[in-house]
Amino acid sequence: MFYASLFVDYLKNYMKTRLTYRSDFWIEVLSDLLFNGLNLFFILVVFQHTAAIGEWNEQQILFIYGYFMVPYGLFITFFNLWGFTERYIVKGEMDRILTRPAHNLVQLMLENMDPSSLFSALVGLIIMIYSWTQLDLVLMWYDPLILLVLVLGSIMIYGGVYIFFTSLSFFSDSPTGILPLLWNLQNYGRYPMTIYNRLLNIMLTWVLPFGFVGFYPAAYFLDRANWGTFALLTPLVGLVFLTFGLTVWNYGVKRYRGAGS
């Protein structure tokens, strides 16, 4: 209840702050939607020149992309840790975080959350519903629950990977530029893993498992016979990577000795 009330308070504060300048808020939402729209437009343009990518047709690729947007939108809403090194390590704001009663990572997530990114998740869900109707997929009674579990697993993968690489700031206060690289790599997850070579496929499945934030969970609904069982590994993979990321983070916090000259 403590964290729930804290979340509500931060959300209220966010809305009061952002809606003071409503134009800025809606421009940010619009820019996010336009960015995702460009990615969607790219997919549509590609399929003007080909009937399929590998064995996947246009509506299937759109469904995968729609799923990819759902956990990504939710993740970026609550795990917005961009600029952590500069703000919290170099400038010393981590000292302030460690004096708060809430867990330091939760505190960071709450004060950097970006609810405007939820619109991306909503658009992704709309794309999934549209593609579902075009593909005439069968809807089982348990599919909404499976979707929820898969999305949570994908979010945990995002969280585990980004928390791990963000926690490296505790060991070096020099920005490494790794997070932008990860952001580019994660985009490979919105396309079928079967179109990549074996080395990239293995890396995106087991090393940086961005295949589980887009393709594999979406493939559960598209081709249950071939991918259904494997896709259900998503929450397990998410739990493993989130646990690892949190372990390294907590070790880094213990190692942190505060800002100094």
Side-chain angles (χ1 to χ4, degrees):
M1 292 301 297
F2 168 70
Y3 284 108
S5 62
L6 196 62
F7 169 76
V8 172
D9 290 339
Y10 267 95
L11 183 60
K12 288 180 179 178
N13 184 63
Y14 172 88
M15 297 307 295
K16 289 178 182 178
T17 303
R18 296 307 304 271
L19 292 182
T20 301
Y21 304 96
R22 291 179 175 85
S23 297
D24 291 344
F25 174 79
W26 291 111
I27 288 174
E28 181 179 349
V29 172
L30 182 61
S31 64
D32 288 342
L33 294 178
L34 286 175
F35 176 77
N36 290 313
L38 286 175
N39 292 326
L40 180 61
F41 178 73
F42 172 77
I43 294 174
L44 296 176
V45 169
V46 168
F47 278 98
Q48 294 298 313
H49 302 279
T50 183
I53 298 179
E55 67 272 26
W56 305 91
N57 62 39
E58 180 180 11
Q59 293 303 324
Q60 289 174 321
I61 296 294
L62 287 177
F63 186 87
I64 296 169
Y65 178 67
Y67 176 89
F68 173 85
M69 289 180 62
V70 174
Y72 174 73
L74 295 171
F75 159 75
I76 204 66
T77 297
F78 299 104
F79 289 84
N80 189 6
L81 298 177
W82 294 93
F84 172 80
T85 301
E86 179 66 25
R87 177 179 175 183
Y88 292 96
I89 302 299
V90 177
K91 294 184 178 179
E93 288 197 36
M94 192 65 191
D95 295 2
R96 170 179 60 83
I97 295 297
L98 294 175
T99 63
R100 302 295 176 86
H103 186 272
N104 49 81
L105 183 58
V106 176
Q107 184 73 40
L108 286 166
M109 291 167 57
L110 289 175
E111 69 177 41
N112 289 285
M113 66 178 178
D114 182 20
S116 63
S117 297
L118 290 174
F119 285 92
S120 295
L122 178 60
V123 172
L125 186 60
I126 292 173
I127 293 174
M128 286 181 66
I129 294 173
Y130 170 77
S131 300
W132 188 290
T133 59
Q134 296 300 306
L135 292 166
D136 197 25
L137 299 174
V138 177
L139 179 65
M140 307 300 291
W141 66 268
Y142 49 80
D143 280 344
L145 179 60
I146 294 294
L147 176 63
L148 177 61
V149 172
L150 293 176
V151 168
L152 288 176
S154 297
I155 294 173
M156 287 193 293
I157 290 171
Y158 272 126
V161 171
Y162 276 89
I163 288 172
F164 167 73
F165 283 99
T166 300
S167 66
L168 297 182
S169 299
F170 291 116
F171 307 95
S172 172
D173 58 5
S174 300
T176 61
I178 293 178
L179 293 186
L181 175 61
L182 284 180
W183 189 87
N184 288 322
L185 285 174
Q186 77 183 22
N187 289 325
Y188 285 90
R190 66 189 185 205
Y191 299 109
M193 294 296 103
T194 56
I195 69 175
Y196 303 128
N197 63 49
R198 183 172 179 79
L199 179 61
L200 188 57
N201 191 312
I202 292 174
M203 186 184 74
L204 293 173
T205 301
W206 304 116
V207 182
L208 294 172
F210 291 127
F212 285 99
V213 303
F215 170 66
Y216 293 127
Y220 172 86
F221 303 100
L222 296 174
D223 188 0
R224 299 175 197 243
N226 293 319
W227 297 102
T229 303
F230 191 77
L232 293 177
L233 290 175
T234 302
L236 178 60
V237 174
L239 183 62
V240 169
F241 274 81
L242 182 60
T243 301
F244 179 70
L246 289 175
T247 300
V248 177
W249 174 274
N250 289 329
Y251 177 74
V253 171
K254 292 179 180 179
R255 187 180 183 276
Y256 178 74
R257 293 295 180 266
S261 58

